[in-house]
Amino acid sequence: MNKLPIAKSVAREYLKLQNRLRTNKRLVEYIKIGVIAGLFLFFGGVYIYFVNQGSTLGFFLRTEQRELDKIEFEYSLIALENAEKQKLLREKVMSGNKYLDSERQTRNFSLESIILKVTYTGETLQEQVEEIQ
């Protein structure tokens, strides 16, 4: 008979332990759900931050690219005008050249016809000057 009260207290202790384990399982499940929700919120926030940064940087990149395109277009117009002015200036300068009077002569221009060829005798300049005097 002594065994029955002990068995009742053991059964009571076992039920308390089971109840605590059930409570701990619920607590563990709540902790798991909290950690998963926290990780989801964290990575969602990181994703939103970087998507926002990327789209903002992309917007500013496109804006600056448009500005660069405008500047390059204006530069090409100025370069074209500059090339035309250089062509006109070259034509004005060359029009007074006695060797390049006409366009035909300009196309058939040869430096060989202008160069005066002098034969080399082997004498130095001083020797040639002394002979002349």
Side-chain angles (χ1 to χ4, degrees):
M1 292 258 245
N2 286 340
K3 292 183 182 180
L4 285 175
I6 293 174
K8 284 184 182 180
S9 65
V10 168
R12 197 175 303 131
E13 290 298 320
Y14 177 72
L15 289 175
K16 285 181 186 177
L17 180 65
Q18 270 188 338
N19 195 13
R20 269 192 252 138
L21 284 175
R22 267 192 232 124
T23 306
N24 286 341
K25 282 182 183 179
R26 276 192 218 139
L27 181 65
V28 167
E29 293 299 320
Y30 288 142
I31 290 172
K32 285 180 186 178
I33 291 171
V35 166
I36 290 171
L39 287 174
F40 180 76
L41 289 175
F42 173 74
F43 287 114
V46 168
Y47 174 77
I48 290 171
Y49 171 77
F50 283 112
V51 165
N52 186 23
Q53 285 290 99
S55 65
T56 303
L57 292 175
F59 170 76
F60 286 117
L61 177 66
R62 285 189 302 274
T63 304
E64 294 302 319
Q65 188 65 38
R66 284 187 206 118
E67 290 295 320
L68 180 64
D69 290 341
K70 287 178 188 176
I71 291 169
E72 286 177 349
F73 179 71
E74 291 172 5
Y75 174 78
S76 64
L77 288 178
I78 292 170
L80 184 62
E81 290 175 8
N82 190 17
E84 289 175 2
K85 287 180 182 179
Q86 285 179 351
K87 180 183 173 190
L88 291 174
L89 183 63
R90 190 177 303 117
E91 287 175 359
K92 283 181 184 178
V93 168
M94 290 304 199
S95 67
N97 192 337
K98 66 179 183 178
Y99 299 108
L100 302 173
D101 283 337
S102 68
E103 205 173 295
R104 182 180 55 79
Q105 288 175 340
T106 304
R107 273 190 244 118
N108 299 330
F109 175 71
S110 172
L111 209 58
E112 294 293 324
S113 63
I114 300 172
I115 296 176
L116 177 62
K117 295 182 181 176
V118 179
T119 57
Y120 177 68
T121 59
E123 298 176 342
T124 63
L125 184 61
Q126 289 177 350
E127 293 172 356
Q128 291 176 2
V129 170
E130 289 174 2
E131 284 180 12
I132 295 173
Q133 291 176 357

